[in-house]
Amino acid sequence: MTRVIVMPKINIYLPDELAEGVRESGIPVSAICQRALETSVRRVNAIRGTVLDNLDGDDPTARLSRFTDRARTVISLAITRAREQRAATVGTEHLLGGMLAEGGNLALPVLRVMEIEPDRIGRELERVSATVGDGAERPAALRFSGSAANALELTVTEAIALGHDYVGCEHLLLGLVAESDGAAGEVLRGLGVDLRSTRRAVTAALTGYVHLRAQTAANAQAAPASADVGAMLATAVRHELRPILDRLDRLEQRADVPATED
């Protein structure tokens, strides 16, 4: 990794190959970073400022551009959970709880492939939720917490980084893991979910999903109506992820072999 100073008192670290490409191209890194930061700040402030109580009027999730229907459903469920708990804000724990409650999104097979059962996450969330809300009168205007707003911004960033023109629940999972202050990230990291492994699993899941759809389209009888599609997808994900894990195992084994003297 190479450190690049883009503006006073702000350093970023780039992979060596990318840093070399930046030097050769002479692109204005400081200006690009400044524009990206300005965009992120505006987006986070807009998310934080969104009033979520008036659900009889405009759908607040409609303001989250490019989010899939499932992702919007997750956010609506998160708002409902926060209201039921009389929480002061919609936090990352509510977003993660909404993801579990929705039940059919791609983030759940990803977690299972990483050997983290959603039920286990639910139990941890119940423990966290016991400290959220005190039964007091609900605040006049329910909004996203600072950490939830940051997680949603990171969600969009992860989708863009993967080259996707939509924002789904798998990206939301990445955003929750990446956010450093929220309760959801604390729960996930406490169960052994790290950002790098989750990115690999999401990439494998999307590849496996494409293959699963292709197989199903080729043979409509291959997946009967009663089949557990989630289990089928998890199998496909493991198939795509296995070569990556095997390659990492080989690299680790080589690193463990002591050097021999000539």
Side-chain angles (χ1 to χ4, degrees):
M1 301 293 284
T2 300
R3 184 176 69 173
V4 178
I5 302 176
V6 298
M7 59 186 69
K9 297 184 179 179
I10 296 182
N11 301 325
I12 62 172
Y13 289 84
L14 301 177
D16 293 339
E17 183 177 348
L18 177 57
E20 185 62 29
V22 168
R23 292 194 189 96
E24 291 177 357
S25 65
I27 62 174
V29 179
S30 293
I32 292 173
C33 289
Q34 183 175 343
R35 180 62 61 86
L37 288 171
E38 289 172 350
T39 300
S40 295
V41 167
R42 285 198 302 271
R43 188 178 289 142
V44 167
N45 286 338
I47 294 170
R48 288 183 182 179
T50 300
V51 177
L52 304 171
D53 269 357
N54 186 20
L55 298 183
D56 295 330
D58 295 335
D59 180 3
T61 66
R63 304 179 187 181
L64 299 173
S65 62
R66 302 202 305 273
F67 276 61
T68 65
D69 289 342
R70 283 192 186 277
R72 291 182 180 182
T73 297
V74 165
I75 294 171
S76 294
L77 290 169
I79 295 169
T80 299
R81 290 172 67 89
R83 297 171 87 187
E84 290 175 347
Q85 294 174 5
R86 296 189 176 276
T89 57
V90 177
T92 59
E93 67 275 14
H94 302 120
L95 292 172
L96 183 55
M99 182 183 295
L100 299 181
E102 194 276 334
N105 58 80
L106 186 58
L108 303 182
V110 167
L111 288 166
R112 291 191 180 99
V113 165
M114 299 174 70
E115 300 184 347
I116 305 295
E117 285 298 322
D119 288 346
R120 188 179 176 192
I121 297 174
R123 290 193 295 271
E124 287 298 307
L125 282 179
E126 288 180 5
R127 179 183 59 79
V128 171
S129 297
T131 65
V132 178
D134 56 4
E137 185 177 353
R138 194 179 65 186
L142 187 64
R143 302 178 188 273
F144 289 111
S145 68
S147 58
N150 290 337
L152 290 172
E153 163 62 13
L154 289 167
T155 296
V156 175
T157 301
E158 291 289 343
I160 293 172
L162 289 171
H164 299 156
D165 60 358
Y166 67 94
V167 181
C169 294
E170 62 274 21
H171 306 119
L172 178 57
L173 175 62
L174 291 170
L176 292 172
V177 176
E179 207 286 317
S180 59
D181 296 327
E186 179 182 345
V187 166
L188 291 169
R189 289 188 295 272
L191 293 173
V193 180
D194 66 274
L195 185 57
R196 182 179 179 183
S197 297
T198 308
R199 282 199 188 108
R200 286 163 38 201
V202 165
T203 301
L206 292 170
T207 304
Y209 181 66
V210 170
H211 287 179
L212 179 62
R213 289 186 62 184
Q215 291 171 3
T216 303
N219 183 2
Q221 302 301 319
S226 60
D228 186 344
V229 177
M232 293 172 62
L233 179 55
T235 300
V237 172
R238 289 191 179 94
H239 175 74
E240 295 299 325
L241 193 57
R242 188 69 261 166
I244 299 174
L245 297 178
D246 288 344
R247 189 157 56 249
L248 288 173
D249 288 342
R250 289 195 296 270
L251 290 173
E252 290 174 357
Q253 289 171 4
R254 290 178 187 173
D256 291 336
V257 174
T260 58
E261 296 182 359
D262 294 334

